[in-house]
Amino acid sequence: MPCTSASRRRLLQAGAALAAGLALPAFAQGGYPDRAIRVLVPYPPGGNTDVIARDVMRRLSARLGQPVVVDNKPGANSILGTDLVAKAAPDGYTLLVVIGAYANNQSLYKKLPYTSKDLAPVSLLTRTSLVLITSRPDIKTVEDLVREGNKPGAQLQFASSGIGSAAHILGERFVRAAGIKSSLHVPYKGSTDAINDLVSGRIAFMFDAVSAMGPNIRAGKLTALAVTGKDRSPLLPEVPSLREAGYPALVSHAFAALLAPAQTPAPIVERLSREVAAVLADPELKTRLAAISTDPVGSTPAELASFPADEVKVNGEVIRQLGVTLD
């Protein structure tokens, strides 16, 4: 059969595609990275998420031999920074650190400027235990709190850092699981004001990070009733877990995870996942994270893919029952 100009073009195109496919793993494994990597944290500097990101990325930079720069892009309940990465070039040089809001936002907003399909999982970085606390002197256990909430005419007020926040959704899940008949969620603009009202007794209970509540617990201003992790926290060894208290379905963690734009080449994603896992195995980093009651994880992309999906399912159901939207 004669080789026409059209068939020659098809052969050349096929050859170019094959060459690109063969070259990709070599580029991803040998040539990547060859310049600085930007990691967006869609929250202000100084918080737990920012601290975790900077500790991990500083060590990742040393392993990769290139700068890994943390760039804080807060705004719109983390949507601003997330959208920037969702629309970034899928080349491994723009990454994103997300927490529980990433999963909750999928149910809280009817329309987001991105979808979960626009981002690819890299690694689950950390899990952090929360603690259920109160300042009421007559409440010493979870059972006491439930009993208080079911007294005739009683209404348990609980605080969070905002509508749709992880603490809000967990508080609602607790109320339902415990069968508390009357409760009221009181949202605040941030944890500081919520903690002040909690300490004063105007609020009955709240969930927050162990590290944030530790000073007030140690000072005797707050009583820790249970931690949300599967096991007790090393920072509060005398405090039972919610599983011990009879609520295994409420075992949960705040989490931090690393994502990349969708279509980032698999060899790059896998390289990043392996390097992050090595970073999180560092004993010094483990010690630093333990100080804020945080466990390093370092998952594969496949393992991370199922984690936010579970969060979306469980928390999304509560959000739908509440009829909460933030649009």
Side-chain angles (χ1 to χ4, degrees):
M1 180 182 293
C3 185
T4 65
S5 60
S7 63
R8 279 197 299 271
R9 279 197 305 273
R10 286 194 293 271
L11 286 170
L12 288 171
Q13 289 168 350
L18 178 61
L22 292 173
L24 179 58
F27 159 75
Q29 295 173 13
Y32 173 85
D34 60 6
R35 63 181 189 272
I37 297 171
R38 181 186 181 207
V39 179
L40 269 70
V41 174
Y43 297 97
N48 264 15
T49 307
D50 183 59
V51 170
I52 290 168
R54 291 179 186 277
D55 273 345
V56 172
M57 298 312 156
R58 183 169 59 251
R59 290 166 172 81
L60 181 62
S61 174
R63 289 192 63 86
L64 295 177
Q66 292 290 343
V68 180
V69 181
V70 174
D71 187 3
N72 297 91
K73 290 289 182 183
N77 200 20
S78 80
I79 294 171
L80 175 62
T82 303
D83 188 44
L84 288 173
V85 178
K87 291 178 169 59
D91 55 12
Y93 290 97
T94 306
L95 306 174
L96 173 71
V97 173
V98 298
I99 59 173
Y102 171 72
N104 290 350
N105 283 350
Q106 295 178 44
S107 300
L108 289 167
Y109 294 86
K110 295 176 182 176
K111 187 174 181 180
L112 291 168
Y114 56 85
T115 74
S116 59
K117 293 180 180 179
D118 294 324
L119 292 155
V122 177
S123 178
L124 183 60
L125 301 177
T126 59
R127 290 183 300 216
T128 302
S129 288
L130 305 180
V131 61
L132 171 60
I133 64 268
T134 185
S135 67
R136 301 281 177 86
D138 54 332
I139 299 176
K140 302 297 183 184
T141 66
V142 175
E143 290 78 7
D144 291 342
L145 181 63
V146 174
R147 193 178 303 114
E148 183 68 22
N150 286 328
K151 287 181 178 178
Q155 183 184 67
L156 278 188
Q157 293 185 329
F158 69 95
S160 81
S161 56
I163 295 174
S165 65
H168 173 204
I169 303 306
L170 185 55
E172 297 285 1
R173 288 177 60 198
F174 171 71
V175 165
R176 285 161 170 71
I180 294 173
K181 295 182 176 63
S182 180
S183 66
L184 177 67
H185 169 234
V186 182
Y188 290 78
K189 291 183 179 179
S191 292
T192 301
D193 290 341
I195 292 168
N196 288 339
D197 276 3
L198 181 69
V199 169
S200 71
R202 286 190 287 269
I203 296 294
F205 73 92
M206 180 179 174
F207 287 94
D208 209 327
V210 172
S211 56
M213 296 295 104
N216 283 311
I217 293 170
R218 289 190 291 273
K221 296 179 180 179
L222 293 174
T223 300
L225 304 178
V227 294
T228 65
K230 182 176 66 174
D231 303 308
R232 296 190 179 200
S233 167
L235 299 184
L236 299 169
E238 72 287 355
V239 178
S241 68
L242 277 175
R243 183 173 64 172
E244 291 177 76
Y247 300 94
L250 294 181
V251 170
S252 59
H253 303 83
F255 71 90
L258 186 66
L259 306 181
Q263 308 306 318
T264 299
I268 290 178
V269 171
E270 290 162 5
R271 169 88 189 277
L272 287 167
S273 178
R274 289 195 304 271
E275 298 292 358
V276 166
V279 164
L280 291 168
D282 176 18
E284 181 189 355
L285 181 57
K286 286 184 176 182
T287 300
R288 285 179 61 83
L289 293 175
I292 55 173
S293 196
T294 296
D295 299 319
V297 182
S299 73
T300 65
E303 289 167 340
L304 173 57
S306 65
F307 186 79
D310 290 341
E311 292 275 305
V312 170
K313 181 179 179 181
V314 173
N315 291 348
E317 181 59 30
V318 175
I319 291 167
R320 283 188 290 274
Q321 289 174 4
L322 293 171
V324 175
T325 61
L326 297 182
D327 290 295

